[in-house]
Amino acid sequence: MAYEIDETHDPKLESWVESANDPETDFPIQNLPMCIVRVPGADEVLGVRIGDKVLNIAKLISAGSLQGLPGIEEIFGLTSVAVYEFGQLELAQRSAFRRRLSELLRTGAEPLVERDEEWRFLYDLGDIEFVRHEISDYTDFYASAFHATNVGSMFRPDNPLLPNYKHMPIAYHGRASSIVPSGAEIVRPWGQLAPTDGGVGSESRPTHEPCKMLDYELEVGLVIGRGNELGSPVSIQDAEDHILGMCLVNDWSARDMQKWEYQPLGPFLAKSFATTVSPYIVTMEALAPFRTPAYERPAGDPRPLPYLQSDANRERGGVDITLEVYLTSADMRKRGLSPVRLSKGSFKDMYWTIAQMVAHHTSNGCNLQPGDLLASGTVSGPTRGERGCLLELTWDGDPFANPPRVVPGTQRTPIELPTGETRKFLADGDEVIIKGYCEREGFRRIGFGECRGVVKAARDS
Ligand code: MN
């Protein structure tokens, strides 16, 4: 595999940026995730988060601190840069860039000298605005077999997992235009809701009204670095070379609209009203210590076709990212109550790996482009506390019980909030907060930061 553990992952490394040495921080010197920020007096620039600061890479280049790194100055020039430009570098160039940043920021290195307001390297979070990176295309997978089985049991009790599921990573093409940065408001969408008889009666008509079953989906996003030529599939061996890094994604979903529209062509307006991404791209280099074997398929499951398997993928295709979802209602925030945790699971439980997603996506010759977002699908695990959306969390069924216990999707046990409020789905004013982090004995904990969004009331008509 291409991403190896090296001296930049040494848990003893500390930074002269003091806040990066806080054991609780998501952003120690071992992480160094990328982000696009608008800084005072400049356009959008590529930044790197360290402790509670963001480092301006364009300024680092102006100061000559990145001299001698092959490819870096040619690509970035002295102006603002975008993630997709960086992503196109060769792996060796990206690793050299990470090493140089690590050297510049570690304790004992010469601190970067800031002459005045116009010549700053490090910004406080309050002085900058996070912007999402350029995304030309967005694909959403369905890679958790636990999620697919739970949802399938609700929508098709007799037939929860369709026959193709264990042979290929299922996905649909989403909208890149409605992807918003963390913190952006989510307006409850309007849509067609099924007639009460499900549309089978000849007199029945659907309604057009605000969605009543608004949900979140806890997902992880892959950001594509190097693309591939149209007509040239990426092999599973090379697949991870094309991934720049990973972020958190909330694929907001209108379940009532989805149920009525999803057959025969898949999700459409139930998903395309908004998708939130977290500000930071945690690089594949930073994630190297947290790789795990691919999810072990239960006995009896089919082996993937040859183009979807490799030894490296089996041995290290998984990524152990702990993922948590928190919720606050408007009332909870007013009363100063802490967010409640709704679930906690891990990305290592996904049935399909990130390399399999890229290999399958390009197997027909489809071209991925730098900056493209490939979301994983809802990350759910085997237990109730690991379910990554409300559709599953408030559902009373249990497809894994023996014998399977499947209750129609309308029977739901609401979640109780500390204010006494209850939720089957999201209410106006609710804020959903997704967090992600990686931990492993002998390594420094790194985190993804947060992916947030507050639900706003639907427009009047
Ligand atoms: Mn999704």
Side-chain angles (χ1 to χ4, degrees), residues 138 140-142 147 172 217 219 251 253 271 375-378:
Y138 162 47
D140 194 24
F141 282 89
Y142 195 50
H147 171 71
Y172 67 93
E217 287 190 341
E219 304 198 14
D251 178 26
S253 298
K271 303 280 192 171
S376 62
T378 307

Side-chain angles (χ1 to χ4, degrees), residues 175-195:
R175 286 291 299 180
S177 61
S178 52
I179 299 177
V180 296
S182 179
E185 292 179 348
I186 305 302
V187 178
R188 180 179 297 273
W190 280 64
Q192 266 201 33
L193 308 187

Side-chain angles (χ1 to χ4, degrees), residues 342-357:
L342 300 182
S343 70
K344 179 180 180 179
S346 174
F347 191 67
K348 70 176 164 38
D349 286 331
M350 301 303 270
Y351 194 83
W352 295 100
T353 65
I354 57 175
Q356 286 169 326
M357 293 179 208

